[in-house]
Amino acid sequence: MIKKLLTSAVLGTVLLSAQSALAADYTLRFGHLANEQNIWHQAAEKFKEEVEANSDGRIEVRLYPSEQLGNEMDVINSIQLGTADMTITGESLQNWAPKAAMMAVPYAFRDSEHLHAAVNGEIGTEIEEQITERTNLVPLAWFERGPRELTSNRPIRAPEDLNDLRLRVPNVPLFVDTWQAMGARPTPMAFSEVFTALQQNTLEGQENPLSLIESASFNEVQDYVNMTGHVRSWIYVVIGRNQLENMPEDLQQVVRDAAATMQAYESELFIEDQTRLEQALQERGMEFIEVDVDAFAEAARPAVLEALTPEQREIFDAIQGL
């Protein structure tokens, strides 16, 4: 019996020593809001795979999807305090860095190509530099988000077709003012209440990316997807600057290279998913309507310009000039 206990103790010591020897030099705690089926999480898994393989195990990446570390603002604060390391975040960064507000301005971008030109160029660099300076977060990669589209039970092809449409919008003053300027009657409402309000005809429409239109089953209460594309935006994968700079340069490069691979991987998934979403909604009975985008953008412009600060207006004008 004593011999067995001694053998167990020795084995336990050996196992603990082996685990200690295999322990990573650095651990990156990566928390975000998406669930495990979301393409953002799939991209995060790709990042983990690349970092751990190319650092020879010196860096471990721990993923915490579905707000396991808290909501977006919670994780940002945790990174700044050093209790988390990475997250996926967007226009919420304007709370510190006003230039980040450009990540969700209606009709700032004409199309996907225009957005890519801005984010990959000097404008994107300018926004990223302010984010790092003001938040101590370093943008490592960015993901394009699906454009917000308008759903309704009648076709909407031009602003005059809105005709006081009772429309749910998020509680974002710029969104409220913009839709009012375009001719709708916007009503801020919690997302969880929208389906019932549409079902009961309290609301006549709502606006969201195709991914949320699908996951919320709005096809059951709305007939049309009007392709307004009124907000085209992107989101960053960020890491704490202190956490990144505490690593030796060779491991910092491993992280940056993995982020570039993750961005390219997510971009492929995004394009595939947008095609799948459109087909899925059509199969469920929704009709897609092409709209006069220029007319909507022109109607929205006064409200947009009124809402921007001089600093933001300068960036908006630069984007328009691309």
Side-chain angles (χ1 to χ4, degrees):
M1 181 68 179
I2 293 172
K3 186 176 180 181
K4 285 184 179 179
L5 288 171
L6 287 171
T7 302
S8 297
V10 171
L11 284 172
T13 302
V14 170
L15 286 170
L16 285 171
S17 299
Q19 288 171 353
S20 177
L22 293 171
D25 298 334
Y26 301 92
T27 300
L28 295 178
R29 293 149 296 184
F30 186 170
H32 61 80
L33 57 83
N35 64 33
E36 293 183 24
Q37 288 71 49
N38 190 282
I39 61 174
W40 292 353
H41 183 69
Q42 293 173 41
E45 290 181 317
K46 184 70 170 178
F47 174 80
K48 170 182 170 70
E49 176 188 318
E50 291 285 317
V51 166
E52 293 180 350
N54 294 321
S55 68
D56 296 322
R58 292 169 65 194
I59 306 174
E60 177 189 5
V61 180
R62 296 180 183 171
L63 301 178
Y64 299 91
S66 303
E67 297 189 334
Q68 291 178 34
L69 298 184
N71 63 33
E72 183 180 341
M73 297 299 286
D74 291 336
V75 183
I76 289 172
N77 291 329
S78 295
I79 295 171
Q80 292 169 332
L81 291 169
T83 56
D85 304 289
M86 296 179 65
T87 194
I88 302 174
T89 182
E91 62 273 10
S92 298
L93 293 168
Q94 70 183 291
N95 289 294
W96 296 271
K99 293 179 182 180
M102 302 312 299
M103 297 171 71
V105 172
Y107 290 111
F109 302 100
R110 294 183 293 275
D111 50 33
S112 181
E113 290 74 18
H114 187 200
L115 183 144
H116 279 250
V119 184
N120 286 329
E122 293 179 5
I123 291 167
T125 299
E126 185 178 341
I127 293 170
E128 291 171 19
E129 286 176 349
Q130 188 181 72
I131 289 169
T132 300
E133 176 190 342
R134 303 282 181 91
T135 68
N136 226 26
L137 304 173
V138 178
L140 290 174
W142 65 274
F143 303 154
E144 183 176 1
R145 300 165 91 171
R148 300 180 77 93
E149 312 288 7
L150 170 67
T151 68
S152 62
N153 283 327
R154 65 174 189 260
I156 307 291
R157 292 184 170 87
E160 52 267 27
D161 295 333
L162 288 167
N163 192 27
D164 280 339
L165 182 84
R166 298 189 304 276
L167 173 66
R168 181 268 175 182
V169 295
N171 191 17
V172 177
L174 177 55
F175 285 14
V176 174
D177 293 345
T178 299
W179 279 106
Q180 202 160 21
M182 292 191 293
R185 195 192 310 171
T187 301
M189 180 183 290
F191 184 74
S192 59
E193 300 172 9
V194 178
F195 186 93
T196 301
L198 291 168
Q199 192 175 44
Q200 296 175 346
N201 203 36
T202 307
L203 293 175
E204 298 172 290
Q206 68 82 49
E207 50 82 53
N208 263 302
L210 298 183
S211 57
L212 284 178
I213 294 170
E214 180 196 44
S215 63
S217 299
F218 287 143
N219 56 284
E220 296 179 10
V221 287
Q222 298 272 264
D223 297 331
Y224 298 97
V225 179
N226 308 284
M227 302 293 280
T228 49
H230 48 279
V231 176
R232 292 182 179 274
S233 60
W234 72 99
I235 199 159
Y236 283 116
V237 177
V238 298
I239 186 171
R241 177 161 59 177
N242 295 338
Q243 291 91 319
L244 181 64
E245 293 180 352
N246 280 340
M247 296 180 183
E249 288 190 9
D250 64 319
L251 292 186
Q252 289 185 41
Q253 193 59 49
V254 166
V255 169
R256 292 186 181 278
D257 290 346
T261 299
M262 169 180 61
Q263 179 173 313
Y265 179 69
E266 193 279 341
S267 180
E268 292 177 6
L269 294 178
F270 172 77
I271 293 168
E272 292 171 3
D273 197 48
Q274 288 298 110
T275 301
R276 181 198 66 77
L277 286 165
E278 186 165 343
Q279 290 174 347
L281 290 170
Q282 287 174 332
E283 288 169 3
R284 296 178 193 180
M286 298 194 85
E287 183 178 345
F288 281 65
I289 304 295
E290 294 298 325
V291 310
D292 186 344
V293 174
D294 291 341
F296 275 99
E298 190 62 31
R301 191 175 179 84
V304 170
L305 295 180
E306 177 69 23
L308 300 179
T309 66
E311 179 183 50
Q312 293 165 344
R313 173 67 185 273
E314 187 175 335
I315 299 176
F316 181 85
D317 289 343
I319 290 170
Q320 298 303 292
L322 286 177

